[in-house]
Amino acid sequence: MTDTTGICAGRVAVVTGAGRGLGRAHALALAAEGAKVVVNDIGAALDGSGTATGPAEQVVAEIRESGGEAVAHGGDIATSDGAASLVATALDTYGRLDTLVNNAGFLRDRMLVNLDEEDWDAVMRVHLKGHFLPLKHAAAHWRAEAKAGRTPEARVVNTSSGAGLSGSVGQGNYSAAKAGILGLTLVAAAEMGRYGVQVNAIAPAARTRMTEQTFADAMAAPEGDAFDAMAPENVSPLVVWLGSSASAGVTGRVFEAEAGRITVMQGWHPGPTADKGARWTPSEAGETALKLLAESRAPEGVYGAK
C-alpha cells in the first residue's frame, strides 16, 4: 500500500495467523492505516506441526520499525484458553478491541478415501474452531460493552475460500471447514448486530504457503514493475475497510478478493464485480464495495433471526 488515509486510526485489531502470508499482509496494512495490532501466530509448519515465536515477532518488529504499534501473541486460538488470552492481550495492552480478523489455518490435503480422521480433525480444528473461539470471546466482550452502554463499532472479518464456496478436489476437510465458516459468519452477523458487531467473510485468492504448491508457476511473482496479481497485499485493502468504522451497515456478507478484483457473492454465485487492474486503496475498495452492494440483490434472511 502506498497511499494511507488513517482509516483505522484509534482502533485496535487482532489478526490470527498473522506471521506469514495473508495474515501478515493484513496486520501490516491495518497498522499502516493507524490500528494498533495484536499479531497472533504459533509459528506452525504448513501442515500445522511445530511452533515458533519468530514469525509473529518479526511482523511486530516490522510494524514498530514503520512507526506503528503492535504486540505478539503466540497462543493456540483453537483452544478456549488461547482464544481468551488473545482477547485479553488486546484489552490489557491497549485497553480496547475493535476488529478481529480470523485468518489462521493450514492444510492436510488428501483425496477422501485417503483422508485420515486425524487430518480431518486437525484441519476442522484450526479453521472452524479457530474461528469460533476467538469470535466467541471477542463477542462476549462486545456484548458486555453494549450492555454497559458503550456500544462498540466492532468488526469481524472471517476467512473462507473458493474451496468453501465451490469445493475443491483433494481438499474435502478444508472445503468443509471453509464452508462452515460461511455459515458461522451468517449466524454471528444475525446474533451480534444488536451489540454493534458487524461480521463479514472474505474468500481470498493469493500466493501464500498454502497455495504455492497448488498453483506453482501460475502464481509466481512477475519480474520488474509489473502488477503482481497474486500478492497477498492485494486482498488486504478490503480487509482494512471491512475492519474499519467506514464499513458501517455492511454485515453478513461474503466477498471474493483477488488481484484488483472484488466480487460480492450472492448465494455462492458471483454477483456484481469490478476490476481496477491494479491494487486498491482501502478507500477505493470501500467505495467500490458499496457500489457493488447497491447493484446486488439482498441476501436471504437468516433462519431464526428477528
Side-chain angles (χ1 to χ4, degrees):
M1 289 170 51
T2 56
D3 299 324
T4 57
T5 61
I7 196 172
C8 289
R11 295 181 70 83
V12 174
V14 166
V15 185
T16 69
R20 304 179 178 94
L22 283 165
R24 172 183 174 275
H26 301 339
L28 293 173
L30 285 160
E33 291 295 338
K36 299 179 177 73
V37 185
V38 178
V39 178
N40 163 265
D41 203 294
I42 64 172
L46 182 59
D47 66 354
S49 61
T51 60
T53 59
E57 292 175 348
Q58 183 175 350
V59 174
V60 168
E62 288 184 70
I63 291 172
R64 291 176 177 172
E65 287 170 4
S66 297
E69 295 186 51
V71 62
H73 177 270
D76 182 356
I77 48 80
T79 67
S80 186
D81 287 347
S85 71
L86 178 68
V87 173
T89 296
L91 298 177
D92 293 345
T93 306
Y94 300 120
R96 59 186 298 128
L97 173 59
D98 303 286
T99 300
L100 169 63
V101 180
N102 284 315
N103 170 78
F106 56 73
L107 296 176
R108 293 192 183 180
D109 293 351
R110 299 283 191 281
M111 299 297 282
L112 286 172
V113 295
N114 297 319
L115 185 61
D116 293 336
E117 184 178 358
E118 179 184 355
D119 293 330
W120 173 273
D121 289 344
V123 169
M124 294 295 286
R125 177 183 182 275
V126 68
H127 288 281
L128 193 50
K129 193 174 182 181
H131 271 61
F132 160 64
L133 287 173
L135 174 57
K136 171 184 171 67
H137 287 280
H141 164 69
W142 288 324
R143 182 181 64 176
E145 288 291 286
K147 289 187 174 182
R150 299 183 295 270
T151 301
E153 290 184 325
R155 305 288 186 264
V156 178
V157 183
N158 290 331
T159 306
S160 184
S161 166
L165 296 168
S166 303
S168 178
V169 172
Q171 294 187 310
N173 49 1
Y174 179 73
S175 296
K178 289 302 190 183
I181 288 168
L182 297 173
L184 177 64
T185 298
L186 299 180
V187 173
E191 291 184 354
M192 297 305 299
R194 73 190 72 179
Y195 303 120
V197 183
Q198 294 182 182
V199 187
N200 294 285
I202 60 167
R207 183 179 56 254
T208 70
R209 288 194 305 166
M210 289 172 56
T211 57
E212 61 185 2
Q213 293 181 346
T214 301
F215 296 103
D217 293 341
M219 300 188 76
E223 297 181 359
D225 296 328
F227 175 52
D228 185 357
M230 300 313 298
E233 289 80 6
N234 296 330
V235 177
S236 299
L238 178 61
V239 172
V240 170
W241 182 78
L242 288 172
S244 75
S245 59
S247 62
V250 179
T251 192
R253 306 306 295 262
V254 180
F255 298 84
E256 279 194 332
E258 175 184 355
R261 184 171 64 250
I262 298 171
T263 303
V264 176
M265 301 306 291
Q266 298 184 142
W268 317 151
H269 298 288
T273 185
D275 191 349
K276 179 183 177 182
R279 187 176 302 162
W280 301 90
T281 67
S283 295
E284 290 174 333
E287 291 173 2
T288 301
L290 289 173
K291 290 178 181 177
L292 296 175
L293 287 166
E295 298 169 5
S296 68
R297 66 176 184 266
E300 298 294 325
V302 179
Y303 178 76
K306 297 181 180 179

